[in-house]
Structure formats: structure tokens, C-alpha cells
Amino acid sequence: MGTKTRAIVSMAAASVMAWGGTSAKAQEQEKEPFKTQYILGVNFMPEWQIGIDGRRRAGNSPDFSPNVGLSFEARLTRHSGIETGFYYRNVKYAGGISLADPNTRYDASYSRYFSIPVLYKYYSRILNVGAGINYDFRFSQSDNRTSDAQNRFGLMVKVSKDITLSKGLFLEPEFHFNPFVDDGDWNEAWLGFQIGLKYRF
């Protein structure tokens, strides 16, 4: 057996032993009693508000909103938990010319929301998956009127992955889809990413 062949065989054997050791360690951890975990996170959440009924939003391209928020999770079993949080959403509606009357222009405007999700979350070593409802409370708009603020609710589905930084501290990148009811119709949605810096107690 040549030197190169022996080196390849040795590397393969070492890889198999390492994988076997990791697998055995994971199996041992699965057998240990699970203790309830509480997870607190600070999150940056860039999102786009898009139409989902095939129609473009009047006079606008998808609205980009660089949002932030806090999240809280209670991991009750090894694979199941509940997630909620409190997020700030700020949406800009671009100004332009009215489609009905080309002589009429309208100014850019803003809507500001507090967003509260309540989700069931499934945890695994590969991916975490969450699903539930989300409530958006609009607390202000650019002309400072709040009496006619339109609140809205929707569904939320998310997929994420834990990346361990140190004991208890980890990053969790996420992709989510949040269709919501606006003016009585399911015709718009939030589509976004999130990066959370989280600590597991």
C-alpha cells in the first residue's frame, strides 16, 4: 500500500471515528432530561411589503422597511416551544401622480406599527420552524392622525437556524412570510429576513 493510499485510508478512518463520536454525543444528549429554556433576543428585521393577489400596489414598488424588535421564547420540551415578541415596523409609501387624475400629485407618507407575533416553534438540530398569528397595531401615520389607524392581523410562517457563538449565546438567521388582512382582503404580505442575537437561559 502506497504512502498516498495509507494517508487517504487514515483520513477516512479518522473522519468516520469523529462522526461516530459526534453522533454518539448527540444521542447521549437526547437521553438527558430536558430542562425548560427561556430565550431572549434582539433582532434586526429587513422586510418588504408586497402584493400577493397578482396586483401591483397602487403607485408603489414593494415597500422596504428595516425593522427592529425584541423576541422572547419559552422552549418547553426538547422540540416544542412558544415564541412572541414586540417589533417596530415603519413603512414608507412613495409619493407620485394619481392614476385617476394626472394633474394630482400626492406626497410620500409613513405608517408606523407595533407588531406582536404569537407562534408555535419546533426546534431541531437542522432547522427551526415557527407558525402562528401576528397582530399589527398602527399607532401613527405621517399626518399624525391616529383616530382612524387601521390595525391588521395575519398569519406568519418562519424558518431559522441556530449558530452557536458561546455558551448560551447564539445567532439565529431567519426567513419569514407574513400575509395579512388589509381592508378585509388577504392581498398583501410582509416578506423578510431576520438576524437575531439571542441568549438562552
Side-chain angles (χ1 to χ4, degrees):
M1 184 181 293
T3 303
K4 289 185 178 180
T5 304
R6 284 197 298 270
I8 292 171
V9 171
S10 298
M11 289 176 60
S15 299
V16 170
M17 291 175 63
W19 178 83
T22 302
S23 178
K25 183 178 179 181
Q27 291 177 1
E28 287 298 321
Q29 290 176 344
E30 288 286 335
K31 294 177 183 178
E32 295 175 0
F34 181 83
K35 296 180 181 179
T36 300
Q37 298 175 350
Y38 299 100
I39 302 169
L40 183 65
V42 178
N43 307 284
F44 172 63
M45 186 173 68
E47 294 181 300
W48 290 262
Q49 190 172 323
I50 60 173
I52 58 174
D53 60 352
R55 295 178 297 174
R56 182 181 175 183
R57 306 185 69 233
N60 286 298
S61 58
D63 294 310
F64 174 69
S65 183
N67 306 312
V68 294
L70 299 174
S71 62
F72 175 78
E73 301 171 45
R75 186 171 176 175
L76 306 175
T77 70
R78 195 176 301 280
H79 295 294
S80 295
I82 298 171
E83 179 179 353
T84 187
F86 184 81
Y87 292 86
Y88 172 77
R89 282 173 162 169
N90 183 32
V91 183
K92 178 181 179 180
Y93 299 90
I97 300 174
S98 172
L99 296 177
D101 182 5
N103 295 319
T104 302
R105 297 185 61 86
Y106 54 90
D107 296 328
S109 62
Y110 295 85
S111 291
R112 297 174 180 87
Y113 297 89
F114 287 139
S115 180
I116 303 173
V118 179
L119 310 170
Y120 164 79
K121 191 167 182 178
Y122 177 83
Y123 301 86
S124 74
R125 291 195 303 271
I126 301 173
L127 288 174
N128 303 324
V129 179
I133 60 173
N134 188 77
Y135 183 75
D136 281 349
F137 170 72
R138 190 168 77 180
F139 65 93
S140 75
Q141 52 193 38
S142 56
D143 54 10
N144 296 320
R145 291 178 300 166
T146 57
S147 58
D148 61 348
Q150 296 179 0
N151 304 331
R152 58 196 185 184
F153 74 92
L155 305 176
M156 178 173 275
V157 178
K158 60 168 61 179
V159 178
S160 61
K161 171 67 177 177
D162 292 357
I163 302 173
T164 301
L165 299 178
S166 63
K167 183 178 181 181
L169 186 67
F170 63 96
L171 286 176
E172 187 173 22
E174 166 194 304
F175 170 79
H176 63 265
F177 180 63
N178 176 203
F180 56 83
V181 175
D182 196 18
D183 293 330
D185 295 318
W186 294 86
N187 57 9
E188 295 186 6
W190 294 101
L191 180 66
F193 302 94
Q194 176 173 291
I195 184 71
L197 180 63
K198 300 187 176 183
Y199 189 82
R200 184 182 292 110
F201 294 92

